[in-house]
Amino acid sequence: MEKKLTGSTLNQRKLSRAALNGFINYGIVIAAYLLIQYLLSAGKVSNSLQSLLVPTCCYIVMAVSLNLTVGILGELSLGHAGFMSLGAFTGITVSILLQNAIPMTPVRLAVSMIAGAAAGALGGVIVGVPVLRLQGDYLAIVTLAFGQIIQNIIMVLYVGVDENGFHITAGSGRFDISADGTTIIKGPMGAVGVTKLASFTAGFVLILVTLLVVQNLVNSRSGRAIMALRDNRIAAESVGINVIKYKLMAFVTSAALAGAAGALFGLNYSSTVASKFSFNTSIQVLVFVVLGGLGSIRGSIIAAALLYVLPEQLRQFNIADYRMLVYAVVLILVMLVTNNAQLKALVGRVLPKRKGVAGNG
């Protein structure tokens, strides 16, 4: 007699498959970290590649977090770099303000990244609360505008600290700070004189935390509600799913992780300007997500690592400036391949079909 599978048994199998995929993602990240640490200790990593380790970790976090919005939630965001920018300048400001109170570098870095995540989450709430109630492409338009607004605000922002306290002004207004004070943000010049706190190990930990947050959310009851909204909003509403609550949950989580990545990114350089977080940066991260596969966390990790490192390494051949052209060509090819029925059938015969919780692969 054939055993009939109950609903609970099916759910257990789906969750076990999702857990296995999650552990594979952890394993890939840990194995890559150990391999790179071995190569570093053996002196087999060039200086140019070493300088890319922390930014690569940041872009992996950006890609995985954006995939939560685009792939899992099903909403298009074109201003993810805006949340990264909020986190970067907030993290830099907090690290400078706390350099005497918290002399330990790892602790100060952790606090700065938490502050960056909080700033990103706040930005997510400000954008998400009014816009996620709407349908269509409104979120893409508003997030695009949000990224541009943040960039322009930072370019006219002056922030400093001295014995009289914290000073902040915008535009060409008077900025009074004593000779012994520290100017943190200098308008168009951005944040200058930053003590570099970021490390590859901190980036590795941030990736693990991001995977822990995103994968646990996706595999939870809330994650299933979020994916139900993505698949059919009307049907999800009809069974009592709170649309705004779950959309905002995914969007704010994504923004907070982008803010933490921004803080780590900003603290990896002695100076940071707002133009580093332009619209092109948002599109670049979106390309990572699309090429890695919508809803595929593992794909986002691999695509972000390869597509960020390779163009930077190819600068010596003077072809890195064409990376956006290469991205566009690859995107077109991916779209042609994924919409080709014959190729789909071939892939279906080669690879077994997998049914389960989306977003883990």
Side-chain angles (χ1 to χ4, degrees), residues 86-352:
L86 280 176
F89 288 97
T90 300
I92 289 170
T93 302
V94 170
S95 69
I96 293 177
L97 292 176
L98 297 178
Q99 59 186 353
N100 294 326
I102 306 178
M104 295 181 62
T105 297
V107 178
R108 192 160 82 251
L109 175 61
V111 173
S112 301
M113 290 169 64
I114 292 172
L122 179 60
V125 171
I126 293 173
V127 174
V129 168
V131 177
L132 290 174
R133 299 175 183 276
L134 305 175
Q135 298 183 28
D137 298 327
Y138 294 102
L139 181 65
I141 297 171
V142 173
T143 52
L144 169 60
F146 173 77
Q148 296 301 110
I149 290 171
I150 292 299
Q151 182 178 348
N152 289 321
I153 289 176
I154 292 174
M155 289 185 70
V156 298
L157 193 66
Y158 291 83
V159 178
V161 61
D162 59 13
E163 64 275 7
N164 297 319
F166 189 70
H167 302 269
I168 181 169
T169 186
S172 57
R174 187 175 179 180
F175 186 58
D176 293 324
I177 188 170
S178 68
D180 296 330
T182 301
T183 302
I184 302 173
I185 301 177
K186 292 184 176 181
M189 296 177 62
V192 295
V194 180
T195 302
K196 294 190 282 187
L197 305 178
S199 65
F200 177 49
T201 299
F204 164 71
V205 172
L206 181 59
I207 293 175
L208 291 183
V209 171
T210 301
L211 290 177
L212 180 67
V213 171
V214 173
Q215 291 181 161
N216 284 340
L217 175 60
V218 170
N219 297 327
S220 67
R221 183 177 179 180
S222 297
R224 291 189 289 274
I226 292 169
M227 287 184 285
L229 291 171
R230 175 197 63 190
D231 296 335
N232 194 317
R233 172 173 175 157
I234 296 175
E237 281 184 296
S238 68
V239 296
I241 293 178
N242 189 324
V243 176
I244 304 304
K245 171 186 173 182
Y246 289 109
K247 279 192 171 186
L248 197 61
M249 180 186 298
F251 189 70
V252 172
T253 301
S254 175
L257 293 172
L264 182 66
F265 185 87
L267 291 170
N268 187 54
Y269 301 98
S270 59
S271 64
T272 302
V273 294
S275 59
K276 286 187 177 182
F277 312 100
S278 64
F279 173 67
N280 287 337
T281 303
S282 296
I283 295 300
Q284 183 180 14
V285 178
L286 182 61
V287 169
F288 297 159
V289 173
V290 173
L291 293 184
L294 295 177
S296 174
I297 295 175
R298 190 178 310 143
S300 294
I301 295 172
I302 296 172
L306 291 179
L307 292 178
Y308 180 74
V309 172
L310 286 179
E312 296 295 332
Q313 288 296 99
L314 291 175
R315 285 187 183 276
Q316 56 185 321
F317 301 106
N318 296 321
I319 64 174
D321 293 335
Y322 299 98
R323 65 183 184 277
M324 297 307 294
L325 176 61
V326 174
Y327 290 163
V329 172
V330 173
L331 275 174
I332 293 172
L333 293 176
V334 168
M335 294 301 104
L336 291 175
V337 169
T338 55
N339 287 280
N340 188 301
Q342 294 179 342
L343 287 174
K344 278 186 176 181
L346 177 62
V347 173
R349 288 195 296 269
V350 174
L351 299 176

